[in-house]
Amino acid sequence: MKIKKEVNMCGIVGALAQRNVNEILLEGLRRLEYRGYDSAGVCLVDGEQQLQLRKSQGKVADLEARLHDNPAAGRLGIAHTRWATHGVPSDHNSHPHVSGQIALVHNGIIENYRDLRARLLGLGYEFASDTDTETVVHLIHSLTNEGMTLLEAVTAATAELEGAYAIGVISADEPQTLVCARSGSPLVIGVGIEENFIASDPMALRQVTDRFVFLEEGDVAQVSLEGIAVFDQHGEEVSRPVHKLDGGHDAADKGRYRHFMQKEIFEQPEVVKATLAGRIGAHTVLPEALGARANEILPEVKQVQIVACGTSYHAGLVARYWLEDWAGIPCAVEVASEIRYRKTAVRPGTLFVTISQSGETADTLAALRQAKELGYLASMTICNVPNSSLVRESELSLMTEAGPEIGVASTKAFTTQLVALQLFCIALAKANGMPADKEAELVGALHQLPELMEDFTGLDQLVKATSEAFAEKHHTLFLGRGVEYPIALEGALKLKEISYIHAEAYPAGELKHGPLALVDADMPVVVVAPNNELLEKLKSNLQEVRARGGELFVFASPRAGFASEPGVTVVEVPDAPDSLAPILYTVPLQLLSYHVALLKGTDVDQPRNLAKSVTVE
Ligand code: G6P
């Protein structure tokens, strides 16, 4: 069996019970909506041992409407949200795919599907879709035709697959069996009492169980009412531990908020506090913050290579300023999809750090796996999901405590990444001789962070009023200098992700090397202007914008000495220590993109074309 490109955009849910599982499957799909998808489907085995298949392009609500018109029920079923890779979003390309009495859902990409398709066409199979997935269900069907059980057929079929997959398979001829397998895409089994479930993410099943078995790469499992049998990649039956996940708050509930993104912005004071809890003392970062192994490794670190994607990459860019300033340690930051495809020169003593909300991002994971062959000192991940692939495969992990993040546009995951990175940078600086009073100053500031975060979320109404100036615009420019430059990048990313307004970020000093040519009254310029040593230089850059008729929106503290005037709107933010500025100034930029998106009427939590968890390579 050849593998592995990690892909996990789609969502899988499956259930086997002594009751109708239709609503369990639909609720599971609703809970997976955050991942981003373009179609949904469900297949149940009814009391007559017939497959009942319903699929629909669009949202889970469209599938529900279809089920309302044409109901289906059964005690065994699988369901899916699809994010199109092979074949456009359409009813016929949606999963489940069916072959005879067998139905299958798949998350991932089958790379050798062309060969398999040719072979199956030769055997007389007809294809109803353009997907790579359909080859797998026909392959399994052809093997059951040779007399194999469903479990045997799935085991034999997966041995032939190249690429990445998590699959759930049912057969109307075996109504007491749900078979699943994973390699390269996540899959968990939810353990109930005389009922069992599968899903891409435990969150999809939190309404029915809190006990989960996490499948390992290459596992095939047979789920029945009585229990679960797991077979490893060599076909040996193995025992995988059952993890009890703590209750926590139900992340799939928006509570009093209109959108998950809004809820997650306002949760930041609380989750920032949770990320600091037990990790800082009065004046120091506690030794237990990073764990005993980290404390052994950190003194050996001569250089740091950070790798991440999207918003997590921006967190890495911020950390570079902190590391070089406080620890005097050189740091490089690169997007995972770039570093994994080029030859890199690794100096001895370099720590390889990944940053990821999900812990499953395809390129980041591939870069980590590659790094293991390249002579790095050790690998560390800053991650929000325990048990994720990055956490399992990294030697050190520092968890952010953001709780599940549902909105596709990352908010609280980003600010908690910055908090975790700050702890890491202080610990590394300390191991490199940072004086105690500097550490005390930085830790003292961190103690103020949750409260300041609260003050910054309090800017909501002020930012809302400002957002009106953006709703009709097609382009925006975000400027920052120094450590605020990555925050400008993140602000621009948020705006483009959820409002679809073209937004670019530049270090303010680069303005006259190109983007100034674009500046006119139709291009608002957002400026992140904390009161640091670059303020005066930033002010000169802003004059350059004003001189071209550009309209400025400046986020600054009163100490910075900006005043609103025609063409300049100052959004006054609370004063804060310099070391916290990147974390805090992120908040009004998140609020800005949120309110602009509301005015534009876009789908805030599930912006078009984007997915929460992991992009296809
Ligand atoms: C996708 C998400 C982003 C996220 C990026 C990296 O693009 O939409 O919000 O920043 O992936 O994801 P990760 O889970 O590795 O942080």
Side-chain angles (χ1 to χ4, degrees):
M1 181 172 56
K2 280 203 257 158
I3 353 181
K4 324 224 161 5
K5 275 197 199 137
E6 299 272 339
V7 193
N8 72 338
M9 315 289 282
C10 310
I12 290 176
V13 191
L16 175 57
Q18 287 163 303
R19 51 180 168 150
N20 179 12
V21 296
N22 188 31
E23 186 43 43
I24 296 173
L25 297 175
L26 287 174
E27 175 60 15
L29 292 187
R30 282 182 218 114
R31 286 166 174 257
L32 290 175
E33 283 194 295
Y34 74 93
R35 294 162 82 93
Y37 69 102
D38 43 54
S39 45
V42 58
C43 188
L44 296 143
V45 176
D46 69 12
E48 313 286 308
Q49 285 191 229
Q50 298 296 318
L51 293 178
Q52 294 291 337
L53 179 67
R54 309 284 185 272
K55 341 199 252 188
S56 172
Q57 190 188 338
K59 297 286 180 189
V60 174
D62 298 311
L63 174 64
E64 284 176 66
R66 204 152 281 196
L67 277 157
H68 183 263
D69 297 341
N70 188 8
R75 296 173 175 193
L76 170 64
I78 49 178
H80 192 263
T81 47
R82 171 174 188 256
W83 190 84
T85 57
H86 293 71
V88 296
S90 68
D91 286 1
H92 71 276
N93 283 335
S94 312
H95 301 210
H97 290 287
V98 169
S99 185
Q101 288 280 78
I102 296 174
L104 171 141
V105 286
H106 166 226
N107 168 5
I109 291 180
I110 305 303
E111 289 172 356
N112 58 336
Y113 80 100
R114 284 192 188 82
D115 295 347
L116 292 171
R117 191 176 168 112
R119 201 169 94 203
L120 291 157
L121 283 168
L123 289 174
Y125 283 96
E126 285 177 12
F127 282 76
S129 77
D130 313 313
T131 64
D132 51 334
T133 301
E134 196 183 350
T135 57
V136 186
V137 73
H138 292 316
L139 180 60
I140 293 170
H141 183 266
S142 70
L143 295 165
T144 57
N145 261 1
E146 291 172 14
M148 290 188 188
T149 63
L150 188 62
L151 174 66
E152 289 164 348
V154 171
T155 307
T158 51
E160 290 199 49
L161 301 181
E162 293 173 20
Y165 58 83
I167 54 173
V169 197
I170 56 174
S171 165
D173 292 332
E174 295 185 41
Q176 303 290 329
T177 308
L178 170 57
V179 178
C180 60
R182 78 154 275 187
S183 182
S185 298
L187 197 69
V188 300
I189 300 177
V191 183
I193 298 167
E194 293 186 9
E195 54 182 20
N196 290 306
F197 314 91
I198 62 168
S200 312
D201 181 330
M203 194 152 53
L205 301 174
R206 290 305 285 267
Q207 81 281 19
V208 280
T209 186
D210 59 358
R211 293 185 302 142
F212 295 93
V213 171
F214 293 89
L215 292 183
E216 301 273 325
E217 294 288 272
D219 280 356
V220 177
Q222 174 160 275
V223 176
S224 60
L225 288 174
E226 299 77 32
I228 295 149
V230 183
F231 304 88
D232 69 10
Q233 54 185 325
H234 309 296
E236 299 292 325
E237 185 160 1
V238 283
S239 157
R240 299 267 179 249
V242 178
H243 296 266
K244 190 168 186 315
L245 299 192
D246 64 30
H249 52 280
D250 192 348
D253 181 4
K254 283 201 272 276
R256 65 191 165 93
Y257 294 98
R258 187 162 160 200
H259 294 100
F260 282 112
M261 183 184 179
Q262 185 192 25
K263 173 177 175 239
E264 288 158 3
I265 291 172
F266 282 91
E267 275 172 2
Q268 289 178 113
E270 183 194 326
V271 294
V272 154
K273 197 173 186 173
T275 304
L276 289 170
R279 289 171 168 167
I280 49 174
H283 307 295
T284 57
V285 170
L286 298 175
E288 50 270 40
L290 287 98
R293 284 215 54 209
N295 297 336
E296 278 162 33
I297 290 171
L298 293 193
E300 308 299 319
V301 176
K302 304 272 176 291
Q303 197 158 320
V304 173
Q305 173 68 60
I306 297 179
V307 171
C309 302
T311 288
S312 299
Y313 167 68
H314 293 158
L317 290 177
V318 173
R320 181 166 68 124
Y321 289 85
W322 291 335
L323 266 184
E324 302 215 357
D325 181 0
W326 304 339
I329 287 184
C331 173
V333 190
E334 193 160 343
V335 288
S337 55
E338 283 298 312
I339 200 166
R340 64 178 287 204
Y341 287 116
R342 69 179 183 87
K343 270 210 163 138
T344 48
V346 181
R347 284 247 165 91
T350 306
L351 180 68
F352 188 83
V353 178
T354 56
I355 308 171
S356 174
Q357 186 284 127
S358 62
E360 301 290 350
T361 299
D363 287 316
T364 313
L365 191 52
L368 168 65
R369 287 177 178 165
Q370 207 176 48
K372 294 191 173 168
E373 315 294 320
L374 296 176
Y376 283 96
L377 173 70
S379 60
M380 168 170 163
T381 188
I382 295 193
C383 189
N384 195 40
V385 179
N387 277 311
S388 61
S389 301
L390 278 176
V391 171
R392 286 206 306 265
E393 297 188 26
S394 299
E395 288 154 280
L396 309 174
S397 52
L398 179 56
M399 301 310 298
T400 49
E401 302 293 339
E405 190 180 66
I406 310 288
V408 164
S410 189
T411 52
K412 62 175 181 169
F414 178 68
T415 44
T416 53
Q417 281 168 350
L418 291 180
V419 172
L421 282 163
Q422 193 158 121
L423 295 175
F424 163 67
C425 295
I426 296 172
L428 197 50
K430 193 170 166 175
N432 242 37
M434 180 172 67
D437 57 346
K438 177 71 181 169
E439 183 182 9
E441 175 197 322
L442 295 171
V443 172
L446 281 172
H447 280 289
Q448 299 173 44
L449 182 59
E451 207 169 308
L452 280 165
M453 228 37 196
E454 194 80 56
D455 296 344
F456 272 69
T457 56
L459 296 166
D460 188 45
Q461 290 307 309
L462 196 56
V463 175
K464 183 180 173 188
T466 311
S467 66
E468 281 160 25
F470 291 77
E472 302 300 324
K473 298 289 193 275
H474 299 291
H475 306 279
T476 53
L477 195 58
F478 284 67
L479 299 178
R481 286 197 81 125
V483 71
E484 257 44 81
Y485 167 52
I487 299 308
L489 283 170
E490 176 58 12
L493 177 63
K494 284 290 86 79
L495 190 70
K496 74 180 88 151
E497 277 180 318
I498 64 166
S499 74
Y500 314 148
I501 293 175
H502 170 225
E504 274 193 82
Y506 265 88
E510 273 289 291
L511 196 58
K512 55 174 105 47
H513 297 292
L516 201 52
L518 297 172
V519 170
D520 62 16
D522 284 331
M523 179 140 162
V525 179
V526 176
V527 187
V528 193
N531 186 28
N532 64 20
E533 71 279 5
L534 287 169
L535 189 61
E536 289 312 314
K537 290 197 184 305
L538 183 67
K539 283 183 176 167
S540 320
N541 300 143
L542 302 191
Q543 288 309 320
E544 296 161 6
V545 172
R546 276 308 298 140
R548 272 89 193 164
E551 198 174 348
L552 288 165
F553 294 85
V554 186
F555 292 82
S557 85
R559 265 203 299 145
F562 285 98
S564 289
E565 55 183 88
V568 182
T569 304
V570 178
V571 180
E572 205 169 272
V573 306
D575 204 19
D578 284 355
S579 59
L580 301 182
I583 309 175
L584 293 165
Y585 279 68
T586 299
V587 177
L589 300 188
Q590 295 167 343
L591 290 167
L592 179 67
S593 60
Y594 176 70
H595 286 296
V596 175
L598 282 189
L599 290 172
K600 294 204 69 180
T602 52
D603 188 343
V604 171
D605 285 332
Q606 292 159 42
R608 69 186 182 201
N609 306 343
L610 299 179
K612 179 74 189 163
S613 178
V614 182
T615 51
V616 182
E617 185 202 339

